[in-house]
Amino acid sequence: MHTVPTSSFTFLKSLKKNNHRDWMTEHKKEYQASEKELKAFYAAIQMGLNEEDEIEKLKVFRINRDVRFSKDKTPYNVHRSVSFSRAGAHRRGGYYLRLEPGGKSVVAGGFFSPEPKDLLRIRTEFQMDSSEIRAILAESAFAKAYGGKFDAWNPVKTAPKGFSKDDPNIDLIRLKNFVVTHSFTDAEVHAPDFGEQVLYHYRLLRPFFDLMSDVLTTDLNGVSLID
């Protein structure tokens, strides 16, 4: 399997110190060479995912930053990231990979900012019965890899409308995102088996995805919404 070359991180480290268009223009060939190497790695990951899943789309996020609403006006991201979208209405969940020097590389997966209808369906499911999702989060390999819990990004402070703050599952109901992440050191990223490690961590997500796919494609009575 293709690897992530150290030269890619060397480029990103230099970019962080010289985050302006003149420098990027001067080092365009380095950037293009790095992107070529990384795209080969992404393609290898996609191929590996397709052995057990079905990936509809590989999206490479732009290195250019959207600075319209940001106080930070530096023009470029100092990381590279990609997502893998699953195919079909019956397959929910998505895989994410972020490569960034300084031990900030992560694999992640789940449901980021689900649309209101899906968010309500997930919260209602967890209100009714959280045993299955809690079992998945607590499974030994999953818990070791992902910490046994969702990343709590900006949850509702008390309780969403229509739910009680005293609900025993309020810790799950308060969430706006249902995503888990695992971090890698730079040495791990550049190791020969990094691709296999990424695929291993993605494989651990499948029971989570299978459960949530079932939830999001059925109504509260278990009747399919897509047949």
Side-chain angles (χ1 to χ4, degrees), residues 133-149 182 200-201 204 207:
I133 189 61
R134 292 192 189 279
I136 289 170
L137 293 171
E139 192 276 325
S140 59
F142 190 99
K144 182 178 180 181
Y146 292 111
K149 60 183 180 180
H182 176 86
Y200 166 75
H201 284 82
L204 291 175

Side-chain angles (χ1 to χ4, degrees), residues 160-223:
K161 184 178 180 180
F163 296 89
S164 170
K165 63 182 178 63
D166 299 318
D167 191 291
N169 294 309
I170 194 62
D171 59 318
L172 297 173
I173 294 169
R174 290 172 61 232
L175 299 177
K176 297 178 183 178
N177 304 281
F178 303 90
V179 176
V180 293
T181 61
H182 176 86
S183 300
F184 292 93
T185 67
D186 291 4
E188 288 172 329
V189 171
H190 299 310
D193 69 339
F194 179 60
E196 284 78 11
Q197 287 299 312
V198 170
L199 290 172
Y200 166 75
H201 284 82
Y202 285 161
R203 197 175 301 119
L204 291 175
L205 296 172
R206 287 297 299 280
F208 167 41
F209 286 180
D210 290 345
L211 171 63
M212 298 296 275
S213 295
D214 183 58
V215 168
L216 292 171
T217 58
T218 60
D219 63 19
L220 293 175
N221 295 314
V223 177

Side-chain angles (χ1 to χ4, degrees), residues 14-227:
S14 297
L15 175 60
K16 187 174 183 178
K17 296 176 181 178
N18 303 277
N19 200 332
H20 53 82
R21 289 183 173 82
D22 288 344
W23 186 89
M24 179 63 94
T25 299
E26 293 172 6
H27 295 81
K28 185 176 181 179
K29 288 185 178 180
E30 292 173 47
Y31 167 66
Q32 292 174 332
S34 175
E35 287 295 285
K36 184 177 180 180
E37 292 277 3
L38 292 178
K39 286 178 179 178
F41 179 76
Y42 305 150
I45 295 298
Q46 182 177 10
M47 185 178 298
L49 279 171
N50 274 321
E51 292 180 4
E52 299 180 8
D53 204 343
E54 188 172 340
I55 302 302
E56 181 177 59
K57 180 180 179 183
L58 186 165
K59 178 180 179 180
V60 179
F61 292 91
R62 299 178 65 213
I63 197 167
N64 300 76
R65 295 181 63 247
D66 183 354
V67 300
R68 292 174 297 172
F69 309 107
S70 175
K71 292 181 180 180
D72 179 4
K73 298 302 182 182
T74 52
Y76 304 108
N77 289 307
V78 294
H79 64 269
R80 304 302 299 123
S81 56
V82 62
S83 66
F84 305 90
S85 300
R86 305 177 76 207
H90 61 294
R91 292 186 182 89
R92 298 297 184 92
Y95 305 97
Y96 176 78
L97 171 65
R98 178 184 179 118
L99 299 172
E100 182 174 1
K104 297 180 180 180
S105 299
V106 300
V107 291
F111 303 79
F112 180 78
S113 295
E115 60 183 59
K117 182 178 70 173
D118 284 351
L119 179 58
L120 177 60
R121 179 68 180 87
I122 293 169
R123 285 171 168 167
T124 303
E125 182 71 22
F126 292 165
Q127 178 190 47
M128 294 172 59
D129 182 7
S130 67
S131 60
E132 288 184 272
I133 189 61
R134 292 192 189 279
I136 289 170
L137 293 171
E139 192 276 325
S140 59
F142 190 99
K144 182 178 180 181
Y146 292 111
K149 60 183 180 180
F150 292 120
D151 297 337
W153 299 329
N154 191 31
V156 175
K157 290 184 178 180
T158 54
K161 184 178 180 180
F163 296 89
S164 170
K165 63 182 178 63
D166 299 318
D167 191 291
N169 294 309
I170 194 62
D171 59 318
L172 297 173
I173 294 169
R174 290 172 61 232
L175 299 177
K176 297 178 183 178
N177 304 281
F178 303 90
V179 176
V180 293
T181 61
H182 176 86
S183 300
F184 292 93
T185 67
D186 291 4
E188 288 172 329
V189 171
H190 299 310
D193 69 339
F194 179 60
E196 284 78 11
Q197 287 299 312
V198 170
L199 290 172
Y200 166 75
H201 284 82
Y202 285 161
R203 197 175 301 119
L204 291 175
L205 296 172
R206 287 297 299 280
F208 167 41
F209 286 180
D210 290 345
L211 171 63
M212 298 296 275
S213 295
D214 183 58
V215 168
L216 292 171
T217 58
T218 60
D219 63 19
L220 293 175
N221 295 314
V223 177
S224 174
L225 299 173
I226 60 175
D227 291 342

